[in-house]
Amino acid sequence: MERIRDLASQKAVVIFTKSSCCMCHSIKALFYDLGASPAIHELDQDENGREMELALRGLGSNPTVPCVFIGGQFVGTTKAVITLHVDGTLKQMLINAKAIWF
Amino acid sequence: MAGTTIKIGAEDNNKRRSATSVMPSFFSQTPVSNPMGTEANATQSSRLLDYGVLEQYLGFRVGDSSGPRFTSTVDGRLSSSDLHSQAFNMTHPSTSTLLPGSQAMQFHKSLAPMPNIVSASSAQHENWGDSNMTDSSSHTDTSTDVEPRDKNLQFEMGQSAAVVISDYTDKSEERTQDQKTQRRLAQNREAARKSRLRKKAYVQQLENSRLKLTQLEQEVQRARQQGVFIASTADQSHAGSANGALAFDAEYARWMEEQNRHINELRTAVNSRTNDAELRNIVNNVITHFNDVFRLQGNAAKADVFHILLGMWKTPAERCFLWIGGFRPSELLKLLVNQLEPLTEQQLTGIFNLQQSSHQAEDALSQGMDALQQSIAETLATGSSGSQGSSGNVANYMGQMAMAMGKLGSLEGFIRQADNLRQQTLQQMHRVLTTKQSARALLLINDYFSRLRALSSLWLARPQE
């Protein structure tokens, strides 16, 4: 959990993924498209991956990946991200976190 | 043959059964392919006939006009040959008229005291009325053919009356025996005839069913072409997915009906300029109703992801422009924007932003789908190198399949996200627009899709050169 928090606060946008997950690919593509430069952490490449995954699940992320943090705040998984994006909230959050400027 | 009283024994016609054991026996030869006239039959048969019986026969037959004329002449065997040629309406074997069985029966009964009437049935009998149903192998002493044999019988009797008269004057004790035999033979013949008729009827029924089956298949084919979902018998082996697909199709049909009702309600409300609050209610109903179909789709995707992904329940034109199991939100907005004027600045911005967001989300999901396809392709393509042992290959193969199976599982997730995007877009649109504008938008969306479906039907029904 600590590691998650730690990593999440390092950059404006932090996404936890798995290399085998194609939905993660979608979310990454979305953020790139928005102009943000998210920090990607692949859980299956990390030695503490298992624990981190459990921690994410504890935060309410289902499925555990992809899991997005903006400005250190837990945002959620794909469904949450897309929902926020459609009503414009996501963009605002990114601007607030200084991940993007317009 | 003149002068021949009894003709027993081998004859050329191989269709005749050799009943040579019986002293007074009738041999009827009416071969199928024998082009010779009935006279030939006469020459090949021996006729032994009680003259008294012949008289009876003559009396019986004169009034009988059903058969065709006996054309060939009897060469002086019978003094009453002329009468015979009139009375004994014989037909050439190749003609198809025949004496009805009942007549033959009566005829036989009237000839009870006759000696064993043995006619070898021949294939010719089949030509005479049963459309090749009976087999030609009933060369029995108690042959079960009825009509043709009776004809032959008449013919034979007519032919040989004079010949055999002298031979039967003192066979009285044999007559009782013969009576029983006659009865038995007659019954056999009748049974055989009935059996033939039943068989004929059955075959006719089969033919009709076959025709009907072909027709039904054609109908199903046509209906399938027009986009109606009809489960093929092959699908039923995959009970789970078939049930899921069928269940969804049924649920979707129901949903469509309800949707149409909601839309009609909306249309009436818009046209009759209902107050805002009520209109908002109705609009909310429609949008909530959209949620229902997305939920249904999500559940169905668990059971049969390809059914949903490929839009199998939609019309072909809809299917053509499908995006991950449904419509593309940004496309829909593009269609609406022009028709929803006038829009305020704020609304225009709102709609524009919505278009952009949905477009970005669509792109993201499409890229994810592409990545998925790439990943599965790579999984399936690797391996099958000959260097490994066969067991290694099998393990490899199994591993590949397992991995690919796992990846296919994520398809369901994409459908869910796509449906979520559609749902969110509709709701956001509703938020940006006024109630009246939302109402119009929903009507426009509905009209667009029903026209697309109509287009599909028209296209499929178009006359083709």
Side-chain angles (χ1 to χ4, degrees):
Chain A
M1 181 57 99
E2 283 312 314
R3 184 143 166 77
I4 297 280
R5 292 271 178 229
D6 197 29
L7 290 170
S9 51
Q10 278 177 9
K11 284 208 88 179
V13 181
V14 176
I15 311 179
F16 294 97
T17 66
K18 274 191 197 161
S19 53
S20 58
C21 168
C22 292
M23 196 57 81
C24 302
H25 190 98
S26 283
I27 291 297
K28 276 191 274 182
L30 180 63
F31 279 96
Y32 291 141
D33 204 11
L34 291 173
S37 315
I40 313 292
H41 298 287
E42 296 198 334
L43 294 183
D44 50 345
Q45 307 289 335
D46 197 305
E47 60 240 354
N48 302 322
R50 196 85 190 87
E51 297 162 6
M52 291 162 76
E53 193 175 346
L54 289 170
L56 287 174
R57 193 182 290 282
L59 285 174
S61 179
N62 186 23
T64 51
V65 289
C67 190
V68 175
F69 286 78
I70 298 182
Q73 297 291 333
F74 170 78
V75 173
T77 185
T78 320
K79 188 170 180 183
V81 169
I82 290 184
T83 308
L84 290 171
H85 183 52
V86 168
D87 64 11
T89 320
L90 189 74
K91 215 167 186 187
Q92 197 53 51
M93 288 169 88
L94 289 172
I95 293 174
N96 292 346
K98 305 218 175 30
I100 59 176
W101 286 270
F102 51 86
Chain B
M1 242 175 258
T4 310
T5 56
I6 298 173
K7 204 186 239 177
I8 309 171
E11 298 193 2
D12 288 349
N13 189 338
N14 55 12
K15 287 192 171 109
R16 173 183 65 81
R17 181 193 169 282
S18 57
T20 55
S21 53
V22 182
M23 187 47 174
S25 46
F26 272 75
F27 297 92
S28 130
Q29 338 295 328
T30 49
V32 188
S33 51
N34 191 345
M36 295 189 283
T38 46
E39 192 169 14
N41 294 336
T43 60
Q44 293 174 36
S45 325
S46 68
R47 333 275 183 236
L48 310 172
L49 185 60
D50 187 352
Y51 187 63
V53 172
L54 180 60
E55 271 189 72
Q56 270 182 308
Y57 172 75
L58 286 178
F60 182 83
R61 278 302 276 149
V62 166
D64 202 343
S65 59
S66 59
R69 292 264 126 207
F70 173 55
T71 52
S72 61
T73 61
V74 180
D75 50 355
R77 259 189 273 179
L78 296 170
S79 56
S80 51
S81 61
D82 291 339
L83 180 57
H84 292 324
S85 50
Q86 284 168 16
F88 303 119
N89 298 324
M90 273 307 298
T91 177
H92 187 279
S94 55
T95 61
S96 60
T97 56
L98 63 122
L99 185 68
S102 54
Q103 267 181 313
M105 279 306 294
Q106 295 161 24
F107 172 54
H108 272 290
K109 280 170 189 148
S110 69
L111 292 172
M114 277 195 16
N116 268 349
I117 300 168
V118 178
S119 338
S121 72
S122 63
Q124 192 267 331
H125 296 154
E126 279 69 69
N127 287 344
W128 277 21
D130 297 320
S131 44
N132 302 316
M133 290 310 171
T134 57
D135 51 43
S136 53
S137 59
S138 48
H139 297 173
T140 59
D141 211 349
T142 58
S143 171
T144 51
D145 279 350
V146 185
E147 303 89 343
R149 292 233 333 271
D150 301 327
K151 267 212 157 61
N152 289 337
L153 198 53
Q154 300 153 31
F155 168 57
E156 290 148 15
M157 291 190 300
Q159 282 288 345
S160 322
V163 173
V164 305
I165 284 169
S166 54
D167 297 324
Y168 276 84
T169 47
D170 56 343
K171 300 261 165 90
S172 49
E173 76 268 15
E174 286 185 2
R175 286 187 197 181
T176 338
Q177 188 64 28
D178 291 336
Q179 254 177 316
K180 288 187 191 148
T181 317
Q182 293 318 309
R183 230 191 323 272
R184 187 164 43 88
L185 290 174
Q187 281 167 353
N188 283 348
R189 276 191 292 272
E190 188 61 26
R193 193 176 68 85
K194 287 203 177 110
S195 166
R196 274 202 304 280
L197 289 173
R198 268 201 305 276
K199 185 174 175 183
K200 188 174 177 182
Y202 177 61
V203 172
Q204 190 62 39
Q205 212 181 13
L206 281 181
E207 287 292 311
N208 289 344
S209 301
R210 195 168 65 79
L211 268 169
K212 196 165 179 204
L213 184 64
T214 343
Q215 280 174 1
L216 282 173
E217 275 177 352
Q218 282 175 2
E219 274 182 42
V220 168
Q221 192 56 37
R222 245 176 281 131
R224 274 220 186 95
Q225 250 198 332
Q226 296 187 12
V228 178
F229 175 79
I230 301 174
S232 76
T233 48
D235 285 346
Q236 274 152 27
S237 57
H238 315 289
S241 65
N243 285 341
L246 284 174
F248 174 74
D249 289 359
E251 285 168 345
Y252 184 79
R254 232 177 296 138
W255 181 87
M256 272 302 280
E257 279 177 29
E258 284 172 22
Q259 181 74 348
N260 286 335
R261 253 181 285 139
H262 285 296
I263 291 290
N264 284 337
E265 203 184 338
L266 186 62
R267 211 187 297 272
T268 342
V270 167
N271 290 339
S272 64
R273 300 178 184 280
T274 336
N275 67 60
D276 228 39
E278 204 168 305
L279 194 61
R280 203 177 319 138
N281 255 347
I282 302 175
V283 167
N284 282 338
N285 283 343
V286 175
I287 297 203
T288 325
H289 198 237
F290 265 110
N291 297 345
D292 283 348
V293 80
F294 295 136
R295 187 176 38 85
L296 286 175
Q297 257 179 242
N299 290 338
K302 287 198 185 77
D304 189 349
V305 70
F306 289 117
H307 184 75
I308 301 298
L309 198 58
L310 299 171
M312 292 310 292
W313 76 98
K314 291 186 186 277
T315 60
E318 282 176 289
R319 232 179 284 152
C320 177
F321 302 122
L322 213 64
W323 175 77
I324 312 188
F327 62 85
R328 237 182 222 277
S330 59
E331 286 291 327
L332 214 61
L333 289 171
K334 240 188 280 180
L335 297 172
L336 294 175
V337 139
N338 297 332
Q339 307 192 54
L340 286 176
E341 282 151 11
L343 294 171
T344 67
E345 275 294 323
Q346 202 181 16
Q347 284 177 328
L348 274 171
T349 321
I351 293 291
F352 175 74
N353 286 341
L354 181 58
Q355 249 183 283
Q356 201 185 31
S357 319
S358 56
H359 191 85
Q360 283 164 342
E362 282 165 27
D363 277 350
L365 289 175
S366 297
Q367 285 186 47
M369 283 287 278
D370 287 346
L372 180 63
Q373 188 188 2
Q374 179 89 6
S375 171
I376 292 179
E378 276 170 15
T379 309
L380 294 177
T382 54
S384 75
S385 59
S387 57
Q388 291 186 10
S390 59
S391 62
N393 274 344
V394 169
N396 219 21
Y397 183 83
M398 303 278 276
Q400 272 182 337
M401 284 299 157
M403 209 152 69
M405 288 278 278
K407 292 186 176 169
L408 272 186
S410 31
L411 278 176
E412 190 211 321
F414 278 98
I415 293 180
R416 231 175 337 155
Q417 297 303 333
D419 280 345
N420 181 45
L421 178 63
R422 289 185 263 262
Q423 187 173 333
Q424 295 303 323
T425 309
L426 282 172
Q427 283 179 352
Q428 177 66 10
M429 181 197 77
H430 179 49
R431 272 179 237 130
V432 169
L433 300 174
T434 66
T435 311
K436 255 206 210 95
Q437 285 166 331
S438 289
R440 272 191 56 218
L442 290 171
L443 290 174
L444 285 166
I445 292 172
N446 180 74
D447 288 347
Y448 165 70
F449 281 120
S450 63
R451 284 198 205 122
L452 189 57
R453 282 190 287 271
L455 177 66
S456 199
S457 303
L458 280 173
W459 175 259
L460 290 168
R462 79 194 187 285
Q464 302 187 27
E465 278 114 64

